[in-house]
Each structure stands twice: as structure tokens, then as C-alpha cells.
Amino acid sequence: KNRLATMAERAITCAVLGAGGYLGQLIAAELSLHGNKVYGYGLSLEELLRGRESALAELQALKEQQRLEDDDIKLFEEDYTVTTDLREAVSGADFIIECITENLVAKRGLYERVAPLTKANAIVTTASMTLSVTDLAQAYPDPPRFVGLRFLVPVLLIKDVEITAGLDTSAQTLDAVRSFLLSMHMRPFFKKPGEQRYLRLTSAEAAAKQDESAEERLMRKRTVAEQENLMRAMRRAASLSGGSRYQGDGQGGQDGDATSAVTPSAPPEPEPEPSNESSCVICISEKPEAICLPCGHLCLCLGCSVIFQQNSSNCPVCRKSLDSIVRVFSS
């Protein structure tokens, strides 16, 4: 499947508890739009199915507004499962998002049922706006892995997500939640424990944020498509050059120009694992030695720069128009 998440392949499973309600169904839909496998749990299958249809209608409305496309809705249809079996919902989940009714006894009772069913490293979150995260965490056997997580209404295509730590929430949990949100291109912000103020969006603010997200989403899709085309072109070039990884077209370019032909002197080695060091954004293995102008992003190796310039006119990092791609020499 052509997923929006292919640029940073992830395998995250989420469980939304209370998915038959308005907030739960929207959170489940938003998570699925980012390539996550999502389970929606509730007590009534009829309510869950009704919530699923309601969320689908919201997505269709965003499509009619040209904020989503057919493949976005397909992600939701394929990767969202509703169930009344709590074990099925949470046993494989990395992140569990609770958004049932604002009732302390009901929430605590749910956490007690959830606890023996989860993975050891699962993180449990609550979307509660009125109850203390610290108080709720006391019903969970591992309070350091419990945190508040609030998606701002109308949820869909809203990048801002509020994180509220309890007094026992660990730094590792906060970092994991923040990293998860950033992997979905969201904007996490922190609320202090006990702080009563909540951020709310006006209709105009929400519409502007949805437009921003829709535009960025489309841009990322185009980048993914361009990278897939470039990788296919590089494979074809390698095949035509008798197994060499890259082969330029031999046209034009001076010695310091990245459009010069690039011919390796030895057969290709097995693909190295990506390292934590800076690497080409296309092959994710070679050292970047070509700079995009005028934006100045040093992000392409020589081989990829040749094929990239033949197939794209925008910087792969910032998407600004390219005047040229030039090789740089390190001292």
C-alpha cells in the first residue's frame, strides 16, 4: 500500500477506549490517517459501528473540502478495527488512549481491567479534561507509564496535542509520547500538573489549522511519490550499468557540478544500515555531498543528486524551487 508513513516506516498499534463516543471515534480516525493500526474498544458493538460510520462521514466531508483524498480514507477503512473484546484491543497496543465518560470510578475500574492485559512497555493515556492525571494514575499499577493526552477538537487534521504529566509520570514516558506525536508531524505541547487552563480552538482557528495540515500532508505525499520514482530510476540505472549502484547520463557538468556522471569504481557492497550520522535523504546510506541552491540544504549524495535533478525541480527537504544542485568538497 502507498502509505503516507513510508518515509519513516512505523509499526505502531494504538487502542482507543471509548471509541463509540464522539471524541473516541475522531481520535481513532486521526491516528489511522497516520498509518497506525488502531483498535477501537467499547461495550456496545452497535455503538462502535455507529461511531465508525460517523467518523467515516467526517472524513468524507474533509475530502469534499479537498483536505483529504481517497487514499487517506482508505487508511481508516483498512486499519481501524472495532471490538468489544478488551484483550483484543489492548494486548498488542503500544499506546492506549482512554476517552470514556468523565467518571473517576468508571475510569479507575477500566484501568484495573486493562493493566493485566497490556504489554510491559505499553503507555496508557487519558483524554480527561476535568480529572487529575495523578489521581487517575493511582488505579494503574505502573503510574510512571501513565500520562494525559488531549487531542484538540475537532481532532481531525489538528496537529496540536496537549500532554499533561502526572506527578509520577516518568521522563521516558513523556519522551516516548512526544516522539510518537512528532512521528505523525503533530505539535505536542505540555501542560503543567494541576494547571486548570485548557487551550480551545475557535471555528476559524480550527479551519485554518486543518488547511495547514492538509497542505503539509499533500506535500509529504508528493515527496514520498518523488522518492519512490527516484529509487526506481536508480535501480534502473544500476541495472543498465551492469550492477553499479549509480550511473550518470554523462551529459554536461564541470568537475565540481553534481550533474556530472558518477561512476563507481567497484561493484556495489551490500546496503549499509542507516546510521545516526547525516546521510542522503534519498538512499539514506551515503554521505551527502551535494547542496541544493538557493535554499542551501546539504542533503544528497552524488549518485542521488544526478538522478534527482533529472526528475525533480524542488528541494527534497523544504520543497523550494531549485536553481541548481552543486557538489561540495569537505576540507
Side-chain angles (χ1 to χ4, degrees), residues 19-169:
Y22 176 73
L23 181 61
Q25 65 198 30
L26 293 178
I27 291 175
E30 177 65 16
L31 291 172
S32 70
L33 288 179
H34 295 280
N36 302 296
K37 177 66 178 176
V38 184
Y39 287 88
Y41 168 79
L43 299 176
S44 166
L45 182 58
E46 181 181 356
E47 184 179 69
L48 287 167
L49 292 173
R50 190 163 54 241
R52 191 180 192 279
E53 289 303 311
S54 178
L56 183 59
E58 295 273 0
L59 296 175
Q60 293 285 2
L62 290 172
K63 177 194 166 188
E64 292 174 5
Q65 297 162 11
Q66 298 185 331
R67 289 168 167 161
L68 290 177
E69 298 179 327
D70 285 329
D71 59 341
D72 299 315
I73 296 175
K74 189 176 180 182
L75 285 175
F76 172 72
E77 293 175 329
E78 292 183 349
D79 283 344
Y80 180 45
T81 302
V82 297
T83 180
T84 57
D85 184 339
L86 186 59
R87 181 183 296 275
E88 180 186 8
V90 304
S91 62
D94 302 289
F95 292 90
I96 299 167
I97 299 97
E98 172 272 307
C99 47
I100 68 170
T101 183
E102 293 286 81
N103 181 290
L104 181 60
V105 174
K107 288 179 183 288
R108 282 181 168 176
L110 180 58
Y111 303 152
E112 290 171 358
R113 293 168 54 213
V114 164
L117 305 176
T118 63
K119 301 193 298 185
N121 62 346
I123 291 175
V124 176
T125 77
T126 179
S128 177
M129 288 182 60
T130 62
L131 301 175
S132 163
V133 172
T134 299
D135 289 344
L136 290 172
Q138 299 312 305
Y140 193 67
D142 193 3
R145 301 191 69 81
F146 190 97
V147 67
L149 192 65
R150 188 170 73 94
F151 293 76
L152 304 188
V153 176
V155 180
L156 295 175
L157 296 183
I158 300 297
K159 296 169 60 176
D160 305 274
V161 182
E162 179 185 270
I163 302 174
T164 305
L167 293 179
D168 297 315
T169 305

Side-chain angles (χ1 to χ4, degrees), residues 147-192:
V147 67
L149 192 65
R150 188 170 73 94
F151 293 76
L152 304 188
V153 176
V155 180
L156 295 175
L157 296 183
I158 300 297
K159 296 169 60 176
D160 305 274
V161 182
E162 179 185 270
I163 302 174
T164 305
L167 293 179
D168 297 315
T169 305
S170 70
Q172 290 83 357
T173 293
L174 293 176
D175 185 61
V177 171
R178 180 177 177 274
S179 296
F180 173 52
L181 295 173
L182 290 175
S183 75
M184 297 186 290
H185 308 280
M186 291 182 168
R187 282 190 295 251
F189 63 97
F190 290 87
K191 179 171 172 286
K192 297 178 182 178

Side-chain angles (χ1 to χ4, degrees), residues 227 230 258 279-283 286-292 297-306 308-309 314-317 322 325-328:
Q227 287 183 329
L230 285 168
S279 57
C280 170
V281 298
I282 302 299
C283 66
E286 300 297 317
K287 179 181 177 182
E289 296 182 89
I291 190 170
C292 298
H297 283 113
L298 178 63
C299 57
L300 297 169
C301 68
L302 293 184
C304 290
S305 70
V306 173
F308 189 88
Q309 194 161 27
N314 301 96
C315 170
V317 175
L322 284 175
I325 301 178
V326 176
R327 181 180 182 181
V328 295

